[in-house]
Amino acid sequence: MTSVSEIIEQRNWQVVEAPFNAGKLSHLETIFTIGNGFLGLRGTFEEGYPGEMVSTLAHGIFNHAEGELVPDLVNLPNPLAVKITVNGVEFSMERGKGQMLGYRRVLDLRTACLTREVIWHNGVDAIVKLRFERFASLKNPHLVAQRISVRALLGTPIIRFNSRVDGTQNNEGVHHWEEMQTGGEGDLIFLNRVTTQSRYRIAVASLHQFNPMLKAELTLTAGQPSLAYQTSLAVDSEVALIKWSAIHTNRDSDDPLHAAQMTLKAAQQQGYESSYQAHVEEWATYWHDSDIQIEGDETAQRAVRFCTYHLLIAAPRDDDRVSIGAKTLSGPGYKGHVFWDTELFMVPMLTLTQPKIARNLLMYRYHNLEGARHKAQKSGFAGAMFPWESTDTGEETTPQWTHPLPDGTRIRIWTGDNEQHISTDIAYAVMQYWHWTGDDEFFLKYGAEIVLDTAVFWGSRVEYNADQGRYELTNQIGPDEYHENVNNSVFTNRMTQWHLQTAITVHDWLLREHPTAGAGLIERLGINTQQLTRWRDIIARMYLPKDPQTGLLEQFEGFFKLDRIDISHWQPRVANLDAVLGHERTQEVMVIKQADIVMLMALLGDQFGSRAEQEHHWTFYYPLVDHGSSLSPSIHAWIAARLDHMADAYKLFHYAANIDLEDLKGNIRDGIHAAAAGGVWQALVFGFAGLNLDEMGNLRLMPKLPSHWRSVRFRVWCKGQQRQIVIGDETSTNP
Amino acid sequence: MTSVSEIIEQRNWQVVEAPFNAGKLSHLETIFTIGNGFLGLRGTFEEGYPGEMVSTLAHGIFNHAEGELVPDLVNLPNPLAVKITVNGVEFSMERGKGQMLGYRRVLDLRTACLTREVIWHNGVDAIVKLRFERFASLKNPHLVAQRISVRALLGTPIIRFNSRVDGTQNNEGVHHWEEMQTGGEGDLIFLNRVTTQSRYRIAVASLHQFNPMLKAELTLTAGQPSLAYQTSLAVDSEVALIKWSAIHTNRDSDDPLHAAQMTLKAAQQQGYESSYQAHVEEWATYWHDSDIQIEGDETAQRAVRFCTYHLLIAAPRDDDRVSIGAKTLSGPGYKGHVFWDTELFMVPMLTLTQPKIARNLLMYRYHNLEGARHKAQKSGFAGAMFPWESTDTGEETTPQWTHPLPDGTRIRIWTGDNEQHISTDIAYAVMQYWHWTGDDEFFLKYGAEIVLDTAVFWGSRVEYNADQGRYELTNQIGPDEYHENVNNSVFTNRMTQWHLQTAITVHDWLLREHPTAGAGLIERLGINTQQLTRWRDIIARMYLPKDPQTGLLEQFEGFFKLDRIDISHWQPRVANLDAVLGHERTQEVMVIKQADIVMLMALLGDQFGSRAEQEHHWTFYYPLVDHGSSLSPSIHAWIAARLDHMADAYKLFHYAANIDLEDLKGNIRDGIHAAAAGGVWQALVFGFAGLNLDEMGNLRLMPKLPSHWRSVRFRVWCKGQQRQIVIGDETSTNP
């Protein structure tokens, strides 16, 4: 370390735990998750800890266990497990087991590498310094590397490593595996398994490098193969175990075990240092494209990087048949299911900074169109109706009921039935991707089909109210999920209008620019003149409830008649209002879970109305918002910035950016709030920087930085070119 | 909140806990201590919590309980206790007792006011929002004010407050009180007590304001008087209990109970709001004088303010017979005893920013000169020999033995016998105070006597080594307490030299400037020509061990022969090296607990030697330092800045500034590291700002700010005038 600016630079890339904070065990497991877009490994300890929640997740590996309501993203065997004994005393950070003399854990966001250093007295005759290093290779996403070193500081202890592939994990009590093979030989151990219902095959294998003079002891307990290495240490000397682990599935290879062995062999040949370097270089390209640099606000700088990190480690780089669940690969929340969170909160950041990944995520929806068509058909509609919760099949996987409450009753979950705006959210993300990338090839082959077939759905879904001579949508759930099964949600109705208008534009573009392929698609989807006429009629006569006195759009019919309560008295609160008021009562009060009308302002920009009209709606709706969803603050920050409410904008942005670092929702145990992370990026880029790409393809900036920020820098891809955006005093930035 | 800069400004004045962090209970109790220079009240909860450590301390109230090794600063009855029931269910933040729906605790450093907001479901039929506010009045330090409000958010609950003066507290199992009277009437409850050995009398009384229509229920359990108030709440309505508490002792009043009643009556007449305003205005004057503003580093800004806050709440404003213990009034650590921490770490900040308080602290030593003379006499020396640990009598109160270890053995504690530099540290603080303030009146009447009589002690203490023809000091403990009972500690020998030289200067000044009073003092202390001749001889021939080859001063005789170990391998470590290597082994290794030779560079400045010589010593000694004392990092930061090692300076400064906020020593349960807090101020002002007052009385600055800091502003008093110091770009500062 040679200069203060290097210290600061490093600090702004690191999340540090020191000293050990046992009370935040679950929190930090989520925070310290590593991953590479294929795998996510929670920050649990190699040696285990009471109450820990070990979680190893890979995109796409779902299983619907018997007796369960819905499928789970399956918890894989844990490859990280290594127990260590120091002169026969098992190393543990638990109180009363030996004595922990020092501790520091660092997640380096730049290198996606987690290290832990512990100075530990075995309570008898030795003090050792243990250093644990782990990374999930970004170069080969099937590879996880660990380096564990032990140095004798006092005494001459015998050190024993007992390394396992730990197949005892399950999904919070639900078992998903059939064992096929527990094996090992030499420095290798492995498990070969298949999921009970979906029949995904997986191999988890670990290869070890240790002092080549010492022979390992292999133990093949079913589901828990282990290898033990032992050596004695002179004082002030050190020993290191390198553990390579490979995870392959039949999604990437016909013979996952063989593939795993090949991955391990290649890794061993490359060596730890070189493999680490390749991983870091890969991450450098990630950060080159996706990093946002903020001068003048260290807290914001680190929090924004933390958000970006968690989006990147969850983003599938090489797989277009999976998507990012609401809690990424960092925990069991929502069982790995994919919601609108992906398209409206995470995809925009990827569209602008990692367009290839954004394309993968949209392709996931394309590949699952059949599931969406199936859902539409089952529901009595035409076209494609995307599921509210999606897994590997594209079928609706929202549970219909909650688990029984203490009194034995269950609550009906309506989102799978009635939160239908998801189809439009996906179409919006496709259009946004196309608009920014100009990726006509994608759009022609895949994107247009998504946009059009979901439009076909809406054409069949919309209801004509003959009495009023208008089109309506009854029984909907808008973004404000506090109010279920409402009629004429402004968000849904207006976005449907937008969707059909967009579909007509797409239809015309296809026929004009790609007469053959375009006409083929249109015909295949059964879109005809009659259909287009109906769409135009819907667009013209879609009902948007509005108070004629005030000119305010009414979030849904009857919203203005609800009971008003002063939510400022309900602060500070972690629990959602529906959890505290009760499900029934919540529906009767004029409190909004999250950006709804305000979300519409975000998506439609000035198409929503003039700035004065936006301000008018903001003034009314903002005080009613409970931010009961982690998706809410960032969108409000964005619109607050647009409308020059900078104090609110900064407060909301700061909240959103720290939602997980500070566990502001109190539920980070379940995993990262990925939509909040994506929303933070949008609040910053679309809100504070005011970045926009107009219809003519010109980039426009309307910067409104918080007053103490000196500069903001980032890069975006636009029509195949990367553009650097610098806002603020260029002379004050570091070289 | 109207602007981003106001949000940032507020954030830089606040320490926030949200959500509730039960795992950091003890940590946050210390952090959230409030006080006013007379009282310190730990941040425990009104209603109690399992494992809490309730602590109410007042300066000067020591007691030596039978069977104990040394006196304790006595834990007073807790005036804050209030239990609350909501429809019969007792409010508690424990898991499983009702449900906590939201939580935020804020210590506002600017107003020294602690607030807690909790949204709580009683588990049955009501949700309430509780708001707790407390401050220890700076206007009347005998007064503590609380305001507790409860708002019904759901249901129409009956709210019952049960307010107590809780006399069940003790000092970690040691009891110090005899009960005199448990009483109450109307809205008043009180305890009247006396300490068992020291016979301090104390009264703790609480007066309540509640709905005047409701009658309170008084219960007089011995040692625990209580008053209960009860009312029912309509939904969306609020009730508040104001609790005034007064603490008086026979140190401030002959009739503490009467005084307490007068304090309460006056407070009630003034009213809560007005009393709070008066308190805040008083704090504004504190911050005006003592705040350091840092632009460009929010983390440092908040941490420095936190340090300043804890020094100010512990600093006796109106009492010159008490001093600040090593752990302030925030916890039981070191039993409230006063060490060199006060004079060399805390007093400099006060000398420059709150000179009246610095004077009080120095007067504490003056008043305790008799104890110091007694110690010298008992030890066979002349003059005044200050105790290493000091309480209310000035007698040595360092325990001679540790408590028995698990194996039954005890370790002899030698600091009370041999860490004799304390006398010079005090003389140094007196000289520094005189130098900066020009307070001749204090110096003539009190300060000179301290400096001279401790010089008399040294004159009698120094040993003449006839073989070598030099003066020596054997059997010493320098700042590096890892090495006990060493011979010729450079720090102690060199400071003794400085001390005698200073005494001669003072002697000459007295005779020249104040021939009558000065001569009287000199005569009274028995200082004669023979004495002065001896002092001059000691100055000339004091032995400072030095390696002739390298020119390096040897920390003490034999230090260069100790075993060298590489302490970099022992990082990160919380425990001290002597705790892990064992007491014996630690003495044999070349590892330094804290700034020792480097402390000498701090105190003597360029009198230590040229910058090249300082650099030479830094290079050798810095890598050997373990920072086993919280006193170490800040002093190293200061000298690192002086020597242009800015990265080290910043790293050390950052560590010192966050030592308590982040519990980096792992022992904050015991109380604030006040010396670290004072050291941070010195690292900033003397190190980064390079402030100095030369012999001619000119202020000099040699700023070396960390590169990302844009400006630093603070005020210092110098010779009776307040001077504002601004370093950095003035144009970039806020108005």
Side-chain angles (χ1 to χ4, degrees):
Chain A
M1 199 63 58
T2 57
S3 77
V4 173
S5 58
E6 279 167 8
I7 293 174
I8 302 305
E9 176 68 4
Q10 188 184 73
R11 179 161 104 180
N12 288 341
W13 282 103
Q14 292 185 342
V15 182
V16 179
E17 176 197 20
F20 178 51
N21 191 345
K24 289 272 181 186
L25 189 75
S26 303
H27 176 189
L28 294 167
E29 283 175 10
T30 299
I31 292 288
F32 287 144
T33 296
I34 59 167
N36 55 21
F38 165 62
L39 284 172
L41 300 111
R42 271 173 81 86
T44 48
F45 299 122
E46 284 77 357
E47 70 282 6
Y49 197 88
E52 69 182 351
M53 193 158 60
V54 175
S55 168
T56 312
L57 300 174
H59 273 312
I61 307 298
F62 285 95
N63 190 61
H64 195 148
E66 219 176 295
E68 291 301 304
L69 293 169
V70 291
D72 271 325
L73 188 65
V74 181
N75 198 358
L76 309 181
N78 171 22
L80 301 174
V82 181
K83 287 195 182 293
I84 298 165
T85 57
V86 179
N87 261 358
V89 185
E90 191 175 308
F91 165 63
S92 165
M93 304 206 310
E94 285 175 75
R95 228 175 225 285
K97 299 204 171 174
Q99 195 193 351
M100 188 153 53
L101 305 171
Y103 175 90
R104 182 205 308 272
R105 186 154 53 148
V106 178
L107 174 64
D108 190 89
L109 303 171
R110 177 150 44 189
T111 60
C113 189
L114 182 68
T115 56
R116 169 171 59 128
E117 294 180 310
V118 186
I119 298 189
W120 187 72
H121 193 310
N122 71 351
V124 186
D125 52 10
I127 298 178
V128 290
K129 175 175 175 174
L130 305 111
R131 187 173 198 282
F132 300 85
E133 218 173 79
R134 67 171 76 151
F135 64 93
S137 172
L138 195 64
K139 192 73 185 179
N140 178 357
H142 298 281
L143 181 69
V144 176
Q146 288 168 277
R147 189 179 187 283
I148 305 175
S149 64
V150 182
R151 168 177 284 268
L153 294 177
L154 205 77
T156 53
I158 294 169
I159 306 297
R160 186 180 171 89
F161 295 91
N162 193 308
S163 170
R164 285 167 300 146
V165 173
D166 180 6
T168 63
Q169 308 303 327
N170 55 53
N171 283 56
E172 305 194 273
V174 178
H175 295 268
H176 290 291
W177 292 111
E178 286 171 22
E179 204 69 66
M180 290 165 64
Q181 197 183 358
T182 298
E185 73 172 315
D187 294 307
L188 177 78
I189 46 177
F190 62 86
L191 282 180
N192 220 348
R193 289 186 159 184
V194 62
T195 55
T196 53
Q197 164 268 330
S198 51
R199 309 310 289 174
Y200 286 116
R201 283 175 293 123
I202 186 168
V204 181
S206 296
L207 187 64
H208 302 76
Q209 282 174 251
F210 197 67
N211 187 330
M213 305 295 292
L214 295 169
K215 198 162 155 38
E217 299 164 39
L218 176 67
T219 308
L220 294 182
T221 308
Q224 270 203 87
S226 70
L227 271 172
Y229 296 87
Q230 184 167 315
T231 189
S232 72
L233 271 187
V235 77
D236 264 337
S237 69
E238 191 175 296
V239 65
L241 173 72
I242 290 169
K243 181 179 185 180
W244 301 104
S245 297
I247 297 181
H248 282 265
T249 79
N250 65 328
R251 295 194 60 250
D252 56 75
S253 163
D254 286 341
D255 185 345
L257 180 58
H258 178 74
Q261 284 174 304
M262 290 302 99
T263 291
L264 293 173
K265 197 173 161 190
Q268 192 175 28
Q269 278 171 359
Q270 183 171 16
Y272 187 86
E273 273 311 315
S274 162
S275 178
Y276 173 75
Q277 279 313 321
H279 160 81
V280 170
E281 280 162 28
E282 212 50 32
W283 266 96
T285 68
Y286 249 179
W287 285 115
H288 176 273
D289 291 349
S290 294
D291 189 31
I292 300 182
Q293 291 163 290
I294 303 169
E295 261 199 320
D297 192 333
E298 268 199 75
T299 313
Q301 173 68 85
R302 190 162 46 244
V304 166
R305 282 203 176 125
F306 177 77
C307 290
T308 304
Y309 166 84
H310 272 283
L311 288 175
L312 291 179
I313 64 169
R317 297 177 101 198
D318 309 312
D319 191 342
D320 70 356
R321 287 178 180 269
V322 298
S323 187
I324 310 173
K327 298 287 187 180
T328 69
L329 300 173
S330 62
Y334 296 116
K335 302 174 184 298
H337 296 189
V338 178
F339 296 70
W340 75 317
D341 302 45
T342 313
E343 280 74 16
L344 289 194
F345 292 83
M346 306 177 216
V347 166
M349 176 272 208
L350 296 166
T351 290
L352 274 71
T353 76
Q354 307 282 349
K356 282 181 196 158
I357 298 178
R359 189 184 197 275
N360 283 343
L361 293 171
L362 297 174
M363 285 304 294
Y364 162 79
R365 295 294 192 178
Y366 176 80
H367 291 306
N368 284 331
L369 266 172
E370 279 319 303
R373 285 174 182 137
H374 184 226
K375 182 179 176 185
Q377 195 184 10
K378 274 206 312 189
S379 312
F381 304 119
M385 181 188 190
F386 278 104
W388 179 245
E389 299 189 23
S390 183
T391 55
D392 52 341
T393 60
E395 298 293 325
E396 180 61 74
T397 51
T398 308
Q400 287 204 320
W401 296 94
T402 62
H403 281 286
L405 302 178
D407 65 1
T409 60
R410 302 185 301 168
I411 293 176
R412 179 68 162 85
I413 298 176
W414 289 105
T415 50
D417 302 78
N418 296 336
E419 196 150 359
Q420 298 173 2
H421 64 77
I422 177 76
S423 294
T424 290
D425 306 334
I426 292 166
Y428 186 92
V430 168
M431 293 305 295
Q432 187 180 41
Y433 172 81
W434 185 34
H435 182 50
W436 278 89
T437 61
D439 185 351
D440 288 353
E441 186 259 346
F442 163 83
F443 191 71
L444 179 62
K445 274 168 109 169
Y446 313 111
E449 187 168 341
I450 295 174
V451 175
L452 290 178
D453 215 26
T454 45
V456 169
F457 156 67
W458 281 121
S460 74
R461 170 65 187 83
V462 165
E463 304 145 47
Y464 184 64
N465 180 333
D467 289 348
Q468 303 283 345
R470 67 195 186 199
Y471 290 91
E472 302 191 347
L473 284 164
T474 60
N475 222 23
Q476 290 292 316
I477 304 177
D480 169 21
E481 292 163 327
Y482 284 166
H483 300 99
E484 291 180 341
N485 311 336
V486 300
N487 297 333
N488 295 308
S489 147
V490 165
F491 177 85
T492 309
N493 287 18
R494 178 66 185 87
M495 287 305 292
T496 299
Q497 215 178 21
W498 169 90
H499 192 159
L500 295 175
Q501 182 64 63
T502 299
I504 291 169
T505 311
V506 167
H507 169 273
D508 296 350
W509 178 85
L510 283 172
L511 290 184
R512 187 175 70 244
E513 303 288 333
H514 301 277
T516 316
L521 175 63
I522 288 164
E523 194 185 334
R524 188 151 53 79
L525 299 178
I527 300 169
N528 53 30
T529 318
Q530 194 186 348
Q531 183 96 314
L532 291 174
T533 308
R534 180 174 157 84
W535 289 2
R536 288 203 186 88
D537 196 38
I538 295 172
I539 294 164
R541 295 197 287 154
M542 177 61 93
Y543 177 47
L544 300 179
K546 191 181 219 172
D547 182 331
Q549 304 278 301
T550 60
L552 281 173
L553 289 163
E554 185 176 25
Q555 190 180 294
F556 56 82
E557 270 187 290
F559 182 79
F560 289 155
K561 294 203 191 83
L562 298 179
D563 295 346
R564 181 109 190 212
I565 66 169
D566 185 348
I567 57 169
S568 71
H569 292 314
W570 287 81
Q571 295 303 334
R573 175 166 42 81
V574 173
N576 281 6
L577 207 67
D578 56 352
V580 304
L581 283 185
H583 191 72
E584 298 301 314
R585 175 63 186 150
T586 304
Q587 313 235 357
E588 299 164 1
V589 295
M590 204 190 276
V591 175
I592 304 170
K593 186 178 181 187
Q594 62 187 298
D596 190 299
I597 293 273
V598 170
M599 187 75 194
L600 202 55
M601 296 190 210
L603 298 186
L604 296 186
D606 292 347
Q607 286 179 50
F608 175 90
S610 68
R611 290 291 159 106
E613 281 169 290
Q614 292 181 48
E615 174 70 22
H616 186 41
H617 282 84
W618 170 268
T619 306
F620 180 78
Y621 281 104
Y622 177 52
L624 304 180
V625 176
D626 179 47
H627 304 297
S629 164
S630 65
L631 281 57
S632 189
S634 58
I635 300 298
H636 279 90
W638 168 5
I639 303 307
R642 180 192 291 168
L643 299 175
D644 290 316
H645 301 297
M646 291 309 296
D648 283 324
Y650 182 73
K651 215 163 49 182
L652 291 157
F653 168 83
H654 190 261
Y655 181 92
N658 288 286
I659 211 162
D660 286 328
L661 275 173
E662 297 181 7
D663 195 16
L664 299 175
K665 279 282 169 192
N667 62 351
I668 191 179
R669 166 193 177 279
D670 297 335
I672 285 290
H673 292 90
V680 163
W681 189 92
Q682 296 187 70
L684 218 165
V685 169
F686 299 145
F688 291 153
L691 184 71
N692 191 18
L693 180 63
D694 70 16
E695 289 304 316
M696 312 296 298
N698 299 311
L699 275 186
R700 296 193 179 279
L701 287 172
M702 194 174 291
K704 292 177 179 180
L705 298 195
S707 53
H708 61 304
W709 288 17
R710 277 177 295 149
S711 72
V712 170
R713 290 161 177 264
F714 55 91
R715 293 186 174 86
V716 294
W717 288 94
C718 178
K719 312 282 187 199
Q721 292 199 312
Q722 196 173 37
R723 310 279 285 270
Q724 183 167 22
I725 312 289
V726 180
I727 300 165
D729 181 5
E730 259 191 271
T731 63
S732 72
T733 64
N734 295 322
Chain B
M1 201 62 60
T2 56
S3 76
V4 173
S5 59
E6 279 166 10
I7 293 174
I8 303 304
E9 176 69 5
Q10 188 184 72
R11 179 161 103 182
N12 289 341
W13 282 103
Q14 291 187 341
V15 183
V16 179
E17 177 197 19
F20 178 50
N21 192 344
K24 289 272 182 187
L25 189 77
S26 303
H27 176 189
L28 294 168
E29 282 175 11
T30 299
I31 292 288
F32 288 143
T33 296
I34 58 167
N36 55 22
F38 165 61
L39 284 172
L41 300 110
R42 272 172 81 84
T44 48
F45 300 121
E46 284 77 358
E47 71 281 5
Y49 197 89
E52 69 181 351
M53 194 158 61
V54 175
S55 168
T56 312
L57 300 172
H59 274 312
I61 307 298
F62 286 95
N63 190 63
H64 194 148
E66 220 178 294
E68 292 300 305
L69 293 169
V70 291
D72 273 323
L73 189 64
V74 181
N75 198 358
L76 309 182
N78 171 22
L80 302 174
V82 181
K83 287 195 184 293
I84 298 165
T85 56
V86 178
N87 259 359
V89 184
E90 192 174 307
F91 165 63
S92 165
M93 304 207 309
E94 286 177 73
R95 229 176 225 283
K97 301 203 170 175
Q99 195 194 349
M100 188 151 54
L101 304 172
Y103 176 89
R104 182 207 307 274
R105 187 154 52 150
V106 178
L107 174 64
D108 190 90
L109 303 171
R110 177 150 44 186
T111 60
C113 188
L114 181 66
T115 56
R116 170 171 57 128
E117 293 179 310
V118 186
I119 298 188
W120 188 71
H121 192 312
N122 72 350
V124 187
D125 52 9
I127 298 178
V128 291
K129 174 173 174 174
L130 304 111
R131 187 171 198 283
F132 300 85
E133 216 173 84
R134 67 172 75 153
F135 64 93
S137 173
L138 194 64
K139 192 73 184 181
N140 178 356
H142 298 281
L143 180 69
V144 177
Q146 288 169 276
R147 187 179 187 282
I148 306 175
S149 64
V150 181
R151 168 178 284 268
L153 295 177
L154 204 78
T156 53
I158 294 168
I159 307 296
R160 188 180 169 91
F161 296 91
N162 193 309
S163 170
R164 285 167 299 148
V165 172
D166 180 6
T168 64
Q169 308 303 330
N170 55 56
N171 284 55
E172 306 194 275
V174 177
H175 295 266
H176 290 292
W177 293 110
E178 286 171 21
E179 203 69 67
M180 291 167 65
Q181 196 182 2
T182 298
E185 72 173 318
D187 295 305
L188 177 79
I189 47 178
F190 62 85
L191 282 180
N192 220 347
R193 291 185 154 182
V194 63
T195 55
T196 54
Q197 165 268 330
S198 52
R199 308 310 288 173
Y200 286 115
R201 282 175 295 122
I202 186 169
V204 181
S206 297
L207 187 63
H208 302 76
Q209 284 174 249
F210 196 69
N211 188 330
M213 304 296 291
L214 295 168
K215 198 162 154 40
E217 299 165 38
L218 176 68
T219 309
L220 293 180
T221 308
Q224 272 202 85
S226 69
L227 270 172
Y229 296 87
Q230 183 167 316
T231 190
S232 72
L233 270 187
V235 74
D236 263 337
S237 67
E238 192 175 296
V239 64
L241 174 73
I242 290 169
K243 181 177 185 180
W244 302 105
S245 296
I247 297 181
H248 282 266
T249 80
N250 66 328
R251 294 194 60 251
D252 55 75
S253 162
D254 284 342
D255 185 344
L257 180 58
H258 179 73
Q261 284 174 306
M262 291 301 101
T263 291
L264 293 174
K265 198 173 162 188
Q268 192 175 27
Q269 277 171 0
Q270 183 169 16
Y272 187 85
E273 272 311 312
S274 162
S275 180
Y276 174 74
Q277 280 311 325
H279 161 79
V280 170
E281 279 163 29
E282 212 50 34
W283 266 97
T285 68
Y286 248 0
W287 285 116
H288 175 273
D289 291 350
S290 292
D291 188 31
I292 301 183
Q293 290 162 290
I294 303 169
E295 260 199 320
D297 193 332
E298 268 199 75
T299 315
Q301 172 68 85
R302 191 162 46 245
V304 166
R305 282 205 175 121
F306 177 79
C307 291
T308 305
Y309 166 85
H310 272 283
L311 288 175
L312 292 179
I313 64 169
R317 298 177 99 196
D318 309 310
D319 190 341
D320 70 357
R321 288 178 181 267
V322 298
S323 187
I324 310 174
K327 300 285 187 181
T328 68
L329 300 173
S330 62
Y334 296 118
K335 301 174 185 297
H337 295 189
V338 178
F339 295 70
W340 73 317
D341 305 45
T342 313
E343 280 75 17
L344 289 195
F345 292 83
M346 306 178 218
V347 166
M349 176 274 210
L350 296 166
T351 291
L352 273 72
T353 76
Q354 305 282 350
K356 282 182 194 156
I357 298 178
R359 187 183 197 275
N360 282 345
L361 293 170
L362 298 174
M363 285 304 292
Y364 162 80
R365 294 296 191 178
Y366 176 81
H367 291 305
N368 284 332
L369 265 173
E370 279 319 303
R373 285 173 182 138
H374 183 227
K375 182 179 177 185
Q377 195 184 10
K378 273 204 316 189
S379 312
F381 304 117
M385 181 187 191
F386 278 104
W388 179 246
E389 299 189 26
S390 182
T391 55
D392 52 341
T393 60
E395 298 294 326
E396 181 61 75
T397 51
T398 308
Q400 288 204 322
W401 297 94
T402 62
H403 281 287
L405 302 178
D407 66 359
T409 61
R410 301 184 304 167
I411 295 176
R412 178 70 159 87
I413 298 174
W414 288 106
T415 49
D417 303 77
N418 295 338
E419 196 149 2
Q420 298 173 1
H421 64 78
I422 177 76
S423 294
T424 290
D425 306 333
I426 293 166
Y428 186 91
V430 168
M431 292 306 294
Q432 186 179 40
Y433 171 82
W434 186 35
H435 183 51
W436 278 88
T437 61
D439 184 352
D440 287 354
E441 185 259 347
F442 162 82
F443 191 72
L444 179 63
K445 273 166 111 169
Y446 313 110
E449 187 167 341
I450 295 175
V451 174
L452 290 179
D453 215 26
T454 46
V456 170
F457 155 67
W458 281 123
S460 74
R461 170 63 188 86
V462 165
E463 306 146 45
Y464 184 65
N465 180 332
D467 290 347
Q468 303 285 344
R470 67 194 186 200
Y471 291 93
E472 301 190 350
L473 285 165
T474 60
N475 222 22
Q476 290 292 317
I477 303 176
D480 169 22
E481 292 162 329
Y482 283 166
H483 300 100
E484 291 180 341
N485 311 335
V486 301
N487 296 334
N488 294 310
S489 148
V490 166
F491 177 86
T492 310
N493 286 19
R494 178 66 185 88
M495 286 306 290
T496 299
Q497 213 178 22
W498 169 89
H499 193 157
L500 295 175
Q501 183 63 63
T502 300
I504 291 168
T505 311
V506 168
H507 169 272
D508 296 350
W509 178 85
L510 283 171
L511 291 183
R512 187 174 70 246
E513 303 289 333
H514 301 277
T516 317
L521 174 63
I522 289 164
E523 194 185 332
R524 188 151 52 80
L525 299 177
I527 299 168
N528 53 32
T529 318
Q530 191 185 350
Q531 184 94 314
L532 290 173
T533 308
R534 178 172 160 86
W535 289 1
R536 289 203 184 84
D537 195 38
I538 295 171
I539 292 163
R541 295 198 284 155
M542 176 61 92
Y543 176 47
L544 301 179
K546 191 182 217 169
D547 182 329
Q549 303 280 300
T550 61
L552 281 171
L553 289 164
E554 185 176 26
Q555 190 181 291
F556 55 82
E557 270 188 290
F559 183 78
F560 290 154
K561 296 205 187 81
L562 298 179
D563 296 345
R564 181 107 190 215
I565 65 170
D566 186 348
I567 56 168
S568 71
H569 292 313
W570 289 80
Q571 294 305 333
R573 177 166 40 81
V574 173
N576 280 5
L577 207 67
D578 57 352
V580 303
L581 284 183
H583 190 73
E584 297 302 317
R585 175 63 185 151
T586 305
Q587 312 233 358
E588 299 165 1
V589 293
M590 203 189 276
V591 175
I592 304 170
K593 184 178 181 186
Q594 64 188 297
D596 189 299
I597 293 270
V598 170
M599 187 75 195
L600 203 54
M601 295 191 209
L603 297 185
L604 296 186
D606 293 346
Q607 286 179 52
F608 176 90
S610 68
R611 291 290 160 105
E613 283 170 288
Q614 291 181 51
E615 174 69 23
H616 186 43
H617 283 83
W618 171 268
T619 306
F620 180 79
Y621 282 104
Y622 177 53
L624 305 179
V625 176
D626 178 48
H627 303 298
S629 164
S630 66
L631 281 56
S632 189
S634 59
I635 299 300
H636 279 90
W638 168 5
I639 302 308
R642 180 192 290 168
L643 298 174
D644 289 316
H645 301 296
M646 290 309 295
D648 283 325
Y650 184 72
K651 216 161 48 181
L652 292 157
F653 169 82
H654 190 261
Y655 181 92
N658 289 285
I659 212 162
D660 286 329
L661 274 174
E662 299 182 6
D663 195 16
L664 298 174
K665 279 281 170 194
N667 63 350
I668 192 180
R669 168 193 176 279
D670 299 336
I672 285 291
H673 291 92
V680 162
W681 189 92
Q682 295 187 72
L684 218 165
V685 170
F686 299 146
F688 292 152
L691 183 72
N692 191 18
L693 180 64
D694 72 15
E695 289 302 318
M696 308 299 294
N698 300 310
L699 275 187
R700 296 193 178 279
L701 286 173
M702 193 173 292
K704 294 180 179 177
L705 297 195
S707 53
H708 62 304
W709 289 16
R710 278 178 295 151
S711 72
V712 170
R713 288 160 179 265
F714 55 90
R715 294 185 172 86
V716 295
W717 288 95
C718 178
K719 312 282 187 198
Q721 290 198 312
Q722 195 172 38
R723 309 279 285 269
Q724 182 166 21
I725 312 289
V726 180
I727 299 165
D729 180 5
E730 257 189 271
T731 61
S732 72
T733 63
N734 295 323

